[in-house]
Amino acid sequence: MTLHDYFSLSPLLFLLAGSLIILFIESFFTSISSKLSPWISLTSMLAAALSLVYAPRSDASLLTPWIEQDSFYKIASMLSLGIGIATLFLSDLVFKQFKRGRGEFDVLLLTSLMGLILVALSADFLTLFLGLETLSLSLYVLVGYMKDWERSSEASIKYLLLGALGASFLVYGIALLYGAIGTSHFATLSKSYQTLSGMQSISLFWGGVIFVTVGLCFKAAAVPFQFWAPDVYEGACTPVTAFMSVGVKSGAFFAFARVFLLSFNGFHPLWNEGIALIAVITLIFGNLVALRQLNLRRLFAYSGISHTGFLLVAVASPGPSAVPALLFYLIVYAAATLGAFAVICFLDKNEGGVYIHDLKGLSSAHPYLAFLFAFSILTLAGLPPTAGFFAKFYLFKTALEAGQLWLVILALLSTAIASVYYLRLVAAAYTPSVQGQELLSSRKLMFGAACFGLLLFILSLYPDAGFLG
Amino acid sequence: MPELLSLFFTPFITALFSFGQPGMQRRQALILSMIMPILLLWKNGAWIGEKATYAWIPSLSIHFYLSIDGVSLLFLLLTAIVIPLLVLTSPEGNQKLSGYFFGTLFFVQGLLGGFFMASDLVLFTLFWEGMLLPAYFLMLLYGGEGSREAALRFLVYMIAGSCLLIAAVLALYFAVPEHTFAIEELHSTSRWVFAVFMLAFAVKTPLFPFHAWLPDAYTRSSASVTILLSALLSKAGIYGIYRIGIKVFPELMQEFSFLLLLLAVAGTLYGAFAAFGQTDFKRVIAYSSLSHVNFILAGLFAYNSTASGGALLQAFNHGITITALFLTVSFLAERLHSTEFSAAGGLSKSARQLCWFTMLFVLASIAVPGTNNFIGELLILFGVFSLNIWWAVLLGLSLIFSCAYMLRFMHKLFFGPERIKIEDLTGRERTAFIVLSFFILWLGVYPSAALNLIQAKS
């Protein structure tokens, strides 16, 4: 390894450095760590983002079998860092409101981002697994970060157990694949699949593929592997919920894209049909159950499940436009979800979280936040003229190119169901409240909210995913 | 830069300006709303044939492609006439009347304008669905009692009606070999694609039996929103059927002519019967609008040039007449604090001008010769007659029914023993009525003004 190779890994190293520095300060200078740590994490994330642009590609034989520094990695990592920075802004109010040390929070956030970037970078099942587990391990702790909230500890345990189950599926699948083809490298998957012979290795191979798929479906919260999501989302504090709903989802779909779209593309129609089936069930289940939710964190869990369904539409449709469609959808979904959560954070006054009726009076208390909330929600609903419409448009174009007409029709029908609960949220925000609405105040979060609004606006005016291909 | 873009951007700029000034007065808003009619009159017929194309989303081959033909211009004019009237007459009592209200109104106007000019199918769809949101917000924020439920129901119906539109749009894209969204190059004979488009248009117009959202949405909303829905948004449905149905699916329009005519004729008669049975005068007008709109649709579905020309003319006329009638209703409702017939009676004695104007609008609505609706409905009847005499007979029946319920409307409100005294028209209201009367009479005696536009390119 030369200096050049370290430079090429600099985004990861910056994050690592940031987290170590915070850890150091947290251990020895506890009194100032809460003040300093968000700034240190912000700096390291910005440095990572900057180095992402300029970092050279590595060609060391120690690295290239494990990592793939292509444009997918750059875009996906940029998205991850964006999510990380957004989460920093979102968490500002929680620590004001609940008086908790925040150094460890930032360390865990930085390490989970490292996990995300590692997934986007992976060229081998081992790096992929490493990335996903780094992400998950940090999140097991983050979910239970509010130690004295009963539901938080419960959520953390639940997430740990089910996350471990998902991970074991994944690792078992990897083992079977290795048994079938003798390597865990993505690039050889396709080639080895062509030359597979004998009942035994074919069944080993398929077993492996199915287990890997199930493992990733766990992470992505696709039905029927979604049951952890609602309780965990509800139990975690709001910024963590926001980070999970965009970060973990992105991680799972980076993995899907790495394995099944970029390397092992369209290897067998049966697999695509299976994913299409999961997508349809996920969409219908997520949207129908979301209709009945009153707690916003829980509602976003179910709406997040339905968005998993949409993203699976791209996974089920192999083709050159699948990856840009997936990334564009993730970007729009992340911007809109974080925008909505930014507003929710302003209302988040106790550990139970925010309910739909708490939104009342928002429009008269703060017209801009109400507008941002409505804009974000309508983007999630995919109604024109928001960018959500085009995000869906890309997905469905990809799916039609792959001949998935029924998938498209069922997915579109489910958007009609989704519009009901999304509109209910918007209507609540624009309902006058009898007792008036009091918002928490945070300048940093307000700045973040303005950024989300601007980003959504730009995405809506110029929704071109060309740069993602 | 093509001058066409000024037509597109003006409403959006005025909308932004209004959002920036929450304390905006009606006078300022009125000035802003007059920019569009002035722009349109400035070049008048010379707008026809204007085009503007820019690549917007290259990775999806979507173009920002606007163009104006005679029919677009007709609908743009209708929008430009109705919006200033809405600004002029939006009820004073509503303390929430502000820059937000006017801004949202201009925003709808911009989306409608974009819709009438769009020549790229994705752009067309974008505006088609986009105009729902501001309309929904207007219903939500400025409606009366029960307007929230009505607004939600309206929007969910609309979204359900057009949720498959993306699939249909993409199917059209893949159906033509050159893979384009330019509407003039699209052509398809796929039945399900046709059905998806027709469903979307049928729900918004609405064609019988897709009208379940209409009575509540029309009666629970404030007058401005009701007029927006009935005079402009329902015309978007008609324009859609003309632009997409007739131009992209000519064979299928012909093939399903019988079925569609059946629904339209049933809707015409159903609306008329329902209007006759109401005890609430706002609902009478709501159902009469349903009946008339289905009459127009019958003209489009008859699929010949006489009937479709008449239908487009009648779409314009209906926009004017229904604006006048809903304004009448709202003026009465403000004075009576009720929309029940039982609250009124003998109003002609105290409100003479209101009575005379209403009489003119009622006569226009029942298509008395000399008013605008006469020519339109006559052309539709001619066209339908040449198709099959029985359709024409059934449609003709609705004219008789409309006399019955509209005269009953007139009678119960203005004549009979005087039960209550109300104030006569204020200056503002009179101005709105004079403008509307002018168009009713002008197109009544000189329909060629509009017909020339329709025939300019079709």
Side-chain angles (χ1 to χ4, degrees), chain A residues 363 367 374 378 382-386 389-390 392-394 396-397 400-401 405 408-410 412-413 415-416 419-420 423-424 426-428 430-432 460-466, chain B residues 55-62 96 100 107 111 122 125-127 129-131 133 136-137 140-141 148 152 155-156 159-160 163-171 173-174 181 192:
Chain A
S363 66
L378 295 172
L383 293 177
T386 64
F389 175 77
F390 283 101
K392 295 213 161 76
F393 201 90
Y394 277 107
F396 295 143
K397 182 163 177 257
L400 278 184
E401 273 168 345
L405 180 63
V408 171
I409 288 178
L410 288 169
L412 283 171
L413 287 177
T415 58
S419 65
V420 176
L423 289 172
R424 207 180 281 155
V426 174
Y430 279 88
T431 306
S460 302
L461 282 184
Y462 192 66
D464 192 0
Chain B
W56 182 31
I57 312 177
S59 58
L60 288 174
S61 53
I62 296 173
K96 286 181 286 188
Y100 295 129
F107 195 58
L111 292 169
V122 179
T125 316
L126 192 71
F127 292 131
E129 293 197 48
M131 69 178 90
L133 286 179
Y136 167 74
F137 275 101
L140 192 70
L141 299 179
R148 294 178 168 275
L152 186 64
L155 196 55
V156 170
I159 290 173
C163 70
L164 287 180
L165 218 50
I166 296 185
V169 166
L170 283 167
Y173 173 80
F174 288 117
F181 286 116
W192 76 265

Side-chain angles (χ1 to χ4, degrees), chain B residues 310-353:
Chain B
L312 292 170
L313 171 65
Q314 188 55 15
F316 184 87
N317 290 334
H318 176 259
I320 300 288
T321 319
I322 203 69
T323 306
L325 286 171
F326 272 123
L327 277 183
T328 309
V329 166
S330 98
F331 296 163
L332 284 170
E334 268 175 67
R335 290 167 167 76
L336 299 168
H337 305 293
S338 161
T339 51
E340 293 287 324
F341 276 126
S342 55
L347 300 178
S348 64
K349 301 203 174 57
S350 50
R352 276 170 186 283
Q353 296 178 7

Side-chain angles (χ1 to χ4, degrees), chain B residues 115 118 120-121 124-125 172 183 186 193-194 197-198 201 238-250 253:
Chain B
F115 176 73
D120 182 286
L121 190 60
F124 181 91
T125 316
L172 277 181
I183 293 179
L186 294 173
V193 178
F194 176 67
F197 273 104
M198 288 313 274
F201 299 141
I238 291 169
Y239 179 82
I241 291 175
Y242 170 78
R243 184 65 78 210
I244 302 295
I246 294 183
K247 300 286 176 186
V248 179
F249 304 96
M253 275 300 270

